[in-house]
Amino acid sequence: MSVLVNKDTNVLVQGITGSNGSFHATSCKEYGTKVVAGVTPGKGGQNVEGIPVFDSVYQATKNQRIDATMIYVPAPFAADAIFEAVDAGIPLIVCITEGIPVIDMAKVKNVLENSQSRMIGPNCPGIITPGGAKLGIMPGYIHKPGKIGIISKSGTLTYEAVYQTSNLDLGQSTCVGIGGDPIIGSTYIDLLPLFEEDDQTEAILMIGEIGGSAEEEAAAFIKENITKPVFGFIAGTTAPPGRRMGHAGAIITGGQGTAEAKKAAMKDAGITVVESPAMLGATIVEHL
Amino acid sequence: MKIHEYQAKELFRSFNIPTLKGIVAKSADEAVEAAKQLGGQGPWVVKAQIHAGGRGKGGGVKLAKSFDEVKEYASAILAKPLVTPQTGPEGKNVNTLLVEEGCNIEKEYYFAALLDRATSSIVVMGSTEGGMDIEEVAEKTPEKIVKVHVDPAVGFLPYQARLFAFEFGLGKDLQKSFHKMMSAIVDAFIKTDASLLEINPLVQTKDNQMIALDAKMTFDENALYRHPNIKEYFDPNEEDPQDLEAAKWNLNYIRLDGNIGCMVNGAGLAMATMDIIKFSGGSPANFLDVGGGANTEMVREAFKILVGDKNVQCILVNIFGGIMKCDVLAQGIVDAASQISLSVPLVVRLEGTNVEKGREILDKSGLNIITASNMGEAATLAVKHAGN
């Protein structure tokens, strides 16, 4: 078992003929992901490394089942691509695109809430079930099938966590990068129950960062609903207030969104807070 | 991206949000000329144009009753850096003034629109405590702040205008113009992709008009591609020169006050690297995310920025190669070191894609590099070599 994606997931790639889209569609396919189709308007009939390209999501979904789509469409057109995927009823949308205007995301979010689709991202590394399927831009080879479920706002910091848990033979059930933008498709609370239900997942590692209040809300949710051990790390303890730390959402404003407040909320919920990012794996080993 | 008050007011006028007549001046003489052009008997208001708030408290907003006073205040404001509660003790140089006509104020309000990430909507808030620091109002008298949520796809609704009007006891004769103005404010927010629109104060005049006396706007940088007119409002004088240099190369750089320069790929890992330096007893000199798709040139320029910071006593490079390959990073460092003399210790921790190739490039370069096998060791070594 795993969460959201596995080796049988039929995957579509929107923006497949662009340089990012074609590179990562190919690398996901090489990892073992069932990439069955791609979409680029006006490029229908072509193929990318044997993956057939369609003009629209409507056409791509006409004669085959699509379980998930990965979006690599450039930011100015990304919201439109998401709406197109929602309209086609694709259950899982993974949006990798970075730099989508936040007002576009506000509109997307409201449409998503009244739809059958779940979205991960944008501005995220994607999802991977090690040994099963990779829908994203993460380096596949650092992962190892195993028992830790990871939910994270950050890309490379997740690789760090993956690397540590792989080296210590914990491995990962599924890793989900939710992205660091102010408005995202799925947050911790949307995903935690999936890991709670998943047999393969024995513990959950939650990686957060300064800004917003998603970590505090997740902590309150975990206290009431999650029985598996949860480990947490918050990046940005040393970040100065009022400055945007790379991610559009990583900013402390008016005393809100500090690492200290998030860590306190996590501890209060019984989450084991890891202070040093070098100790993510070791701390889990010590407690499991 | 932040803009100046006079620029925000230009945008306000294009959306029919009422403002006072004003003219921009670059010198004391131009300020007097501006006051003469505005005409009337005065008074005129001379306002320093800098991005930081709290200008009034720092002496950057002055009411002048004569042309002589306009000249006097304009010269004084332009003469030295303006220190406000938001500029830091060194203050900010003032290059531009806004000279405005005065008005007779009956009542002052506060209004702002901003994006609420929790509800994916626009929050419009108003308060009768105009002219005050809103964070102080929120803390001491939160009941004086009224908020409504606006769905960006629906826009501002008539009942929301009525809600404010009744809450603030606006007279019947004002309600229609008030509704029009509030709709214009929300319209301006949405159509310019603003991240903040703040009017403090918005005033009701003695002759019963509502006017935006101040104007503050910041914009979503991801959306600037669709607003070339707003992009032109960018003022490089307001930015730190090192930040500007970094932005030119698409690097995410924020200068801090420690002595360990960091170069990292990815925002989360970059923050975590700063944290682990602190955790190990040191202090980071900066946040620097070279991004996922950095090339050799970007790494080289990033490295130059770190070396150019006089506070830096040691450099820590922490890279987890994903899309970014370790050999590209290594080559960038070697290139930079061949162009500039590296006078501080360099600690490097490489992991991920093409790590063997990357280590080989560094080994063969003859550079004096201290290698670390994990993040914890890298931080400990950097702290030691920085002399902490």
Side-chain angles (χ1 to χ4, degrees):
Chain A
M1 277 286 286
S2 56
V3 169
L4 291 168
V5 297
N6 58 42
K7 62 180 176 38
D8 300 319
T9 307
N10 277 356
V11 178
L12 173 74
V13 179
Q14 287 172 262
I16 193 166
T17 57
S19 61
N20 274 326
S22 60
F23 177 81
H24 291 293
T26 310
S27 113
C28 290
K29 197 178 163 196
E30 280 165 4
Y31 189 80
T33 312
K34 269 180 78 183
V35 182
V36 297
V39 167
T40 297
K43 303 260 170 95
Q46 300 184 2
N47 80 81
V48 171
E49 303 284 327
I51 305 163
V53 180
F54 295 86
D55 281 320
S56 65
V57 176
Y58 180 77
Q59 280 181 7
T61 53
K62 233 181 207 172
N63 298 312
Q64 63 190 332
R65 190 191 85 233
I66 299 289
D67 303 308
T69 177
M70 274 194 286
I71 298 180
Y72 292 93
V73 173
F77 319 105
D80 189 40
I82 298 168
F83 286 127
E84 189 180 1
V86 171
D87 189 46
I90 299 178
L92 179 66
I93 300 167
V94 181
C95 185
I96 307 297
T97 308
E98 179 180 352
I100 302 178
V102 69
I103 206 101
D104 291 6
M105 273 309 301
K107 291 175 186 167
V108 163
K109 181 86 177 178
N110 291 336
V111 168
L112 275 172
E113 271 169 14
N114 297 307
S115 78
Q116 301 300 310
S117 303
R118 175 196 297 277
M119 182 165 114
I120 306 293
N123 190 13
C124 76
I127 309 179
I128 184 167
T129 291
K134 165 174 124 99
L135 281 74
I137 59 176
M138 62 289 273
Y141 71 92
I142 60 171
H143 298 77
K144 203 180 223 180
K147 54 192 174 189
I148 309 300
I150 301 180
I151 312 175
S152 171
K153 273 187 182 175
S154 155
T156 44
L157 187 52
T158 313
Y159 307 164
E160 182 72 44
V162 164
Y163 185 70
Q164 291 179 24
T165 50
S166 288
N167 281 350
L168 294 168
D169 278 329
L170 292 163
Q172 307 87 33
S173 53
T174 298
C175 310
V176 186
I178 58 175
D181 274 4
I183 297 178
I184 51 179
S186 302
T187 180
Y188 302 104
I189 295 182
D190 302 315
L191 300 166
L192 283 162
L194 306 181
F195 285 99
E196 173 76 7
E197 282 162 29
D198 173 43
D199 295 338
Q200 191 186 328
T201 303
E202 288 178 29
I204 301 165
L205 172 60
M206 191 183 134
I207 299 175
E209 63 189 23
I210 54 158
S213 57
E215 290 83 358
E216 286 90 330
E217 286 150 23
F221 180 85
I222 287 165
K223 198 173 181 177
E224 299 297 324
N225 302 289
I226 304 294
T227 60
K228 291 178 181 175
V230 181
F231 297 82
F233 176 78
I234 303 291
T237 302
T238 49
R243 302 298 302 264
R244 214 168 283 284
M245 307 303 283
H247 287 155
I251 182 165
I252 299 168
T253 43
Q256 301 290 303
T258 65
E260 293 317 320
K262 290 177 190 294
K263 286 192 235 177
M266 288 169 112
K267 282 178 190 161
D268 179 58
I271 298 168
T272 307
V273 174
V274 186
E275 292 290 343
S276 164
M279 299 300 286
L280 296 166
T283 309
I284 298 175
V285 169
E286 189 191 314
H287 283 79
L288 274 192
Chain B
M1 186 186 98
K2 291 180 179 175
I3 62 172
H4 290 295
E5 174 196 2
Y6 78 91
Q7 296 165 328
K9 282 182 172 168
E10 280 177 20
L11 290 172
F12 275 21
R13 282 178 209 118
S14 71
F15 283 93
N16 295 319
I17 302 168
T19 58
L20 292 171
K21 262 192 241 156
I23 296 172
V24 172
K26 299 274 186 191
S27 67
D29 288 338
E30 277 185 34
V32 173
E33 203 45 50
K36 282 180 181 161
Q37 256 190 64
L38 289 170
Q41 305 297 307
W44 300 272
V45 185
V46 183
K47 305 176 93 173
Q49 299 295 293
I50 57 168
H51 285 177
R55 290 172 298 164
K57 283 178 191 158
V61 179
K62 292 284 188 189
L63 190 71
K65 296 195 183 73
S66 63
F67 294 135
D68 284 345
E69 277 189 11
V70 169
K71 188 162 187 170
E72 183 192 330
Y73 292 138
S75 316
I77 294 172
L78 290 167
K80 57 179 194 315
L82 179 61
V83 181
T84 84
Q86 290 181 22
T87 58
E90 69 283 0
K92 273 257 168 93
N93 286 324
V94 183
N95 301 312
T96 308
L97 300 168
L98 176 63
V99 183
E100 277 193 337
E101 57 185 11
C103 72
N104 290 314
I105 299 170
E106 174 72 30
K107 228 171 157 185
E108 295 185 59
Y109 301 93
Y110 169 95
F111 276 97
L114 62 151
L115 204 98
D116 180 35
R117 46 203 281 182
T119 58
S120 310
S121 64
I122 298 159
V123 181
V124 178
M125 44 185 192
S127 164
T128 47
E129 304 299 290
M132 301 264 298
D133 176 3
I134 195 67
E135 271 157 17
E136 206 180 306
V137 178
E139 199 180 305
K140 289 183 183 153
T141 50
E143 71 282 0
K144 288 189 174 162
I145 298 177
V146 179
K147 289 182 188 173
V148 300
H149 289 263
V150 178
D151 181 334
V154 176
F156 193 71
L157 295 164
Y159 87 88
Q160 294 174 318
R162 290 198 301 273
L163 190 151
F164 280 117
F166 285 113
E167 215 47 42
F168 296 162
L170 292 182
K172 228 180 170 176
D173 47 337
L174 261 177
Q175 287 191 10
K176 208 170 169 186
S177 62
F178 176 73
H179 177 205
K180 238 169 115 182
M181 186 189 64
M182 291 306 291
S183 299
I185 288 171
V186 175
D187 200 35
F189 182 91
I190 295 174
K191 288 197 176 140
T192 62
D193 280 286
S195 43
L196 172 74
L197 186 162
E198 189 179 55
I199 307 174
N200 190 19
L202 185 141
V203 300
Q204 180 184 341
T205 60
K206 297 243 189 254
D207 54 356
N208 247 359
Q209 289 181 44
M210 300 291 269
I211 293 171
L213 219 55
D214 193 17
K216 183 176 173 184
M217 287 186 90
T218 60
F219 300 93
D220 177 1
E221 283 169 33
N222 286 339
L224 284 176
Y225 71 87
R226 51 190 177 203
H227 305 288
N229 59 323
I230 294 171
K231 220 172 168 175
E232 281 188 12
Y233 285 148
F234 179 75
D235 182 355
N237 292 322
E238 290 284 328
E239 308 294 322
D240 183 275
Q242 259 162 328
D243 288 5
L244 275 182
E245 185 60 27
K248 207 164 83 189
W249 292 93
N250 259 332
L251 301 162
N252 264 311
Y253 172 87
I254 293 171
R255 190 173 181 171
L256 303 168
D257 51 13
N259 62 1
I260 299 175
C262 330
M263 176 156 75
V264 188
N265 64 327
L269 191 62
M271 274 189 274
T273 303
M274 287 162 44
D275 296 346
I276 199 170
I277 288 172
K278 193 91 171 196
F279 192 75
S280 311
S283 180
N286 64 279
F287 167 91
L288 174 58
D289 168 17
V290 292
N295 54 33
T296 310
E297 276 186 325
M298 284 167 72
V299 172
R300 187 189 68 212
E301 294 306 316
F303 207 74
K304 283 186 187 169
I305 291 170
L306 294 187
V307 175
D309 181 347
K310 287 188 201 76
N311 291 335
V312 168
Q313 299 294 324
C314 178
I315 291 173
L316 168 56
V317 175
N318 183 20
I319 298 291
F320 206 114
I323 309 175
M324 182 183 185
K325 298 178 182 71
C326 292
D327 52 327
V328 170
L329 179 275
Q331 194 56 51
I333 293 177
V334 174
D335 287 359
S338 71
Q339 293 180 12
I340 40 173
S341 67
L342 182 61
S343 52
V344 295
L346 170 63
V347 178
V348 177
R349 182 271 177 138
L350 285 184
E351 206 54 72
T353 310
N354 293 358
V355 63
E356 296 306 329
K357 273 193 202 165
R359 287 186 184 142
E360 199 184 312
I361 291 171
L362 293 180
D363 285 347
K364 282 189 179 160
S365 70
L367 289 170
N368 183 16
I369 293 170
I370 305 148
T371 53
S373 58
N374 63 56
M375 219 172 144
E377 192 191 11
T380 310
L381 286 169
V383 172
K384 192 179 125 201
H385 287 278
N388 288 75

